[in-house]
Amino acid sequence: MALLSKIKNETAGGLLSALASGTIPLPHQLHVLNRAMETNNIRYILADDVGLGKTIEAGMIIKELKSRGLVQRVLVVCPTGLVTQWAAEMQEKFHEKFHVILPSDYDTIRCLTDAEDVYGQYDQVISPMDSIKPIEKHTGWTDERVEKYNEERIYSFINSGWDLIINYDLPWNPMKIEQRHHS
């Protein structure tokens, strides 16, 4: 009963979207959500220790921003080994469907959708940094082909009109969350 009372007090400011998903946030996660929602311009770094729920915090922020109508298009960039975990947690805990785009999927998606803007085909994407970072060389490829490969991926990534980008691929393991404003 005390935990329920604390949650009600923490969410009295109108932050109910995370609770509706069936995920009961911990007090420090609610604090992060409240801090992130203090302004309309979200630029936030989650730098908790490993295992303290940065993915849950990010999911709560996504859910709250979506419920307020502030974001629709969300990109999560994370290490390759966490892509499946991110997709599963967003689905299970927040009922948010994210499309996974791996480097090997890029050409297939482009062929299936007949669109150059692969990332623009989906509103919510999880992708490893390897899908978007430029390569310097590739066995058997000319410099021109490497350049074309890099331009296609970078163009698709940059010009997809993301409202929110979550980058979990930083070297010291924090998570950067940035809401983008379109001009």
Side-chain angles (χ1 to χ4, degrees):
M1 187 68 166
L3 178 61
L4 181 59
S5 177
K6 182 163 181 60
I7 290 171
K8 284 183 180 180
N9 287 338
E10 292 285 341
T11 59
L15 301 174
L16 298 176
S17 60
L19 296 178
S21 70
T23 298
I24 299 176
L26 298 171
H28 74 276
Q29 293 169 327
L30 286 169
H31 177 73
V32 167
L33 177 61
N34 285 314
R35 288 281 314 266
M37 295 296 127
E38 284 177 350
T39 68
N40 287 333
N41 185 16
I42 307 297
R43 293 181 74 102
Y44 206 74
I45 293 181
L46 305 176
D48 289 340
D49 290 333
V50 174
L52 288 182
K54 290 184 294 291
T55 306
I56 299 297
E57 293 167 356
M60 289 171 30
I61 291 169
I62 291 167
K63 204 71 172 162
E64 188 65 31
L65 288 170
K66 286 182 72 176
S67 71
R68 293 180 184 195
L70 297 174
V71 301
Q72 179 180 348
R73 296 187 42 72
V74 179
L75 172 67
V76 175
V77 180
C78 63
T80 302
L82 296 179
V83 168
T84 305
Q85 176 185 334
W86 261 91
E89 286 200 40
M90 291 299 108
Q91 179 67 46
E92 292 168 13
K93 293 182 170 81
F94 300 100
H95 307 293
E96 293 289 336
K97 170 73 172 141
F98 277 79
H99 291 85
V100 173
I101 299 180
L102 301 173
S104 58
D105 298 334
Y106 189 88
D107 288 333
T108 303
I109 293 169
R110 193 169 63 186
C111 288
L112 290 173
T113 61
D114 197 29
E116 292 297 316
D117 180 13
V118 169
Y119 288 95
Q121 303 308 302
Y122 309 105
D123 281 341
Q124 298 191 142
V125 172
I126 299 173
S127 192
M129 184 58 81
D130 292 343
S131 291
I132 56 177
K133 73 179 178 185
I135 59 172
E136 293 181 26
K137 59 184 172 181
H138 190 282
T139 305
W141 286 15
T142 64
D143 290 342
E144 292 79 25
R145 184 166 178 197
V146 168
E147 186 175 332
K148 183 177 185 235
Y149 173 93
N150 289 336
E151 283 180 15
E152 287 174 351
R153 276 150 181 79
I154 291 170
Y155 172 81
S156 183
F157 170 73
I158 290 174
N159 294 313
S160 291
W162 302 111
D163 300 317
L164 182 69
I165 298 174
I166 298 176
N167 182 355
Y168 191 68
D169 204 28
L170 298 172
W172 43 282
N173 197 25
M175 185 182 311
K176 181 178 180 184
I177 298 178
E178 181 173 350
Q179 181 183 3
R180 302 194 51 191
H181 298 281
H182 305 288
S183 38

